[in-house]
Amino acid sequence: MDNKHSKIIVTGGAGFIGSHLTDELVKLGFEVHIIDNLSTGRKENLNPAAKFHNLDIRNLESIKPVFNKTKYVFHMAALARVQPSIQDPKTYHDINTSGTFNVLMAARDAKVKRLIFSSSSSVYGEQKVFPLKENFAANPLSPYGLQKYMGELKCGIFSKIYNLETVCLRYFTAYGPRLHTSGAYSLAIGKFLGQRRQGQPMTVTGTGRQSRDFTSVYDIVRANILAMRSSKVGKGEVINIGGGNDHSINTVARLIGGPVVYIKSRQEPKRTLADISLAKKLLGWKPQIKLEDGIKELKKIYLS
């Protein structure tokens, strides 16, 4: 068992998933340090019991000192979302590719025990066979998906060559409290809640029959902590973290309730569905929260 006071870094700890993970690690008694430049993270998400470093992962020299005497690193800092990465590939590359390299270098030099990398189902892109298994050929449709795939490959190399334990968790569509409800970073559930809160109809792209494997942020946090502790990983393994079933965007709109307007479709996979047998085998993880219950909680927070 880990020393309760082990030092842990969460990059992107002011973000949606990173802040929930930070809360849980603080609760477990770890010494948590957050690296975040607040470009998409929010000050109000910061856990006051964690030490906050307002730094940018694009600057290796500035982040290096924070890694001193660190046992575990959760690398969550990233510019997320497919569409904005298509519009601004350079900024996305600098943060998601160069930034990930910097975090790996800092972890290697500080002799960190293990780094857990937040990857994405965007690596799969469009596939013909479901559920999606980790050994399928990557087929990203966007700079974002490509950058996450490159991050996985880098983790594998750092494990092989530099003896830094790594494990990569491919999240499927995450949702939960603190999700973005407007702007470029909002996904269907967040966008719909934001629209309903303002009394507007929910805008569904295309037919709404495209489906996603929605995954609760609480389940994702649990997967991360299991990945930190598991003795079965550490060599750059890639593991799907998904709900294990998919729901159409129309279903999500129905669960939230209210009028719907259909708008032009965009370039996105028609379906995502995770095979989660590897997560069960290597981490002892499976999802616990059903989409219906997760949306019920969010409606209480955002719409009551």
Side-chain angles (χ1 to χ4, degrees):
M1 192 52 72
D2 300 301
N3 173 354
K4 278 265 174 141
H5 304 292
S6 295
K7 180 179 172 184
I8 292 178
I9 290 173
V10 180
T11 72
F16 163 43
I17 301 173
S19 64
H20 282 284
L21 175 65
T22 299
D23 291 350
E24 191 56 34
L25 291 168
V26 164
K27 222 183 275 178
L28 291 169
F30 291 100
E31 178 196 329
V32 186
H33 290 247
I34 293 167
I35 294 175
D36 202 304
N37 68 354
L38 300 178
S39 60
T40 59
R42 296 171 178 147
K43 252 194 179 143
E44 59 267 30
N45 289 347
L46 290 168
N47 188 305
K51 170 95 171 116
F52 173 52
H53 306 267
N54 191 338
L55 298 169
D56 194 311
I57 59 170
R58 286 172 288 187
N59 186 331
L60 175 57
E61 293 312 309
S62 76
I63 64 171
K64 263 183 108 162
V66 185
F67 283 72
N68 190 29
K69 294 182 179 169
T70 297
K71 190 167 186 183
Y72 299 109
V73 173
F74 292 90
H75 179 38
M76 297 189 155
L79 274 184
R81 304 289 76 91
V82 165
Q83 291 308 119
S85 81
I86 293 168
Q87 287 144 15
D88 185 7
K90 186 186 184 308
T91 307
Y92 268 70
H93 172 86
D94 292 346
I95 292 170
N96 296 346
T97 304
S98 303
T100 295
F101 173 74
N102 288 342
V103 170
L104 284 162
M105 285 291 285
R108 181 202 73 169
D109 293 350
K111 296 189 167 39
V112 163
K113 178 177 168 58
R114 180 174 292 177
L115 179 142
I116 298 94
F117 174 60
S118 293
S119 189
S120 166
S121 61
S122 298
V123 167
Y124 289 110
E126 197 66 80
Q127 300 277 347
K128 291 190 167 71
V129 179
F130 295 91
L132 299 168
K133 293 180 192 259
E134 293 87 349
N135 61 1
F136 285 11
N139 183 31
L141 297 176
S142 65
Y144 173 69
L146 174 63
Q147 289 148 12
K148 284 297 183 183
Y149 183 48
M150 288 167 72
E152 293 176 357
L153 296 175
K154 283 190 180 83
C155 285
I157 289 291
F158 269 71
S159 287
K160 264 193 199 106
I161 296 174
Y162 302 120
N163 209 24
L164 169 66
E165 289 185 12
T166 64
V167 56
C168 308
L169 305 182
R170 269 185 197 166
Y171 308 152
F172 284 67
T173 313
Y175 73 94
R178 300 180 198 155
L179 83 178
H180 286 269
T181 55
S182 63
Y185 296 95
S186 62
L187 287 171
I189 293 177
K191 183 178 76 171
F192 291 171
L193 288 165
Q195 288 169 331
R196 294 305 300 125
R197 192 165 55 184
Q198 292 178 352
Q200 298 168 352
M202 294 174 278
T203 52
V204 175
T205 57
T207 63
R209 287 199 291 271
Q210 64 273 31
S211 64
R212 294 287 174 269
D213 190 334
F214 292 98
T215 317
S216 165
V217 70
Y218 303 122
D219 283 327
I220 289 174
V221 164
R222 215 163 29 82
N224 272 275
I225 289 167
L226 288 166
M228 173 183 78
R229 290 180 164 158
S230 171
S231 59
K232 296 177 181 176
V233 296
K235 296 185 175 76
E237 297 84 358
V238 173
I239 304 171
N240 286 338
I241 302 298
N245 51 49
D246 58 336
H247 300 267
S248 74
I249 303 303
N250 287 331
T251 299
V252 170
R254 186 175 49 74
L255 287 169
I256 291 171
V260 167
V261 172
Y262 289 89
I263 60 171
K264 196 176 150 210
S265 61
R266 61 187 185 194
Q267 183 173 324
E268 57 178 343
K270 294 182 185 65
R271 188 183 187 199
T272 64
L273 174 62
D275 181 308
I276 52 175
S277 50
L278 197 60
K280 289 176 187 171
K281 185 178 154 190
L282 297 181
L283 306 179
W285 176 91
K286 62 180 182 184
Q288 294 177 346
I289 294 159
K290 289 183 180 151
L291 181 65
E292 295 83 347
D293 298 330
I295 286 181
K296 224 180 260 178
E297 180 199 16
L298 289 175
K299 283 170 75 173
K300 276 183 199 156
I301 295 168
Y302 291 98
L303 302 182
S304 59

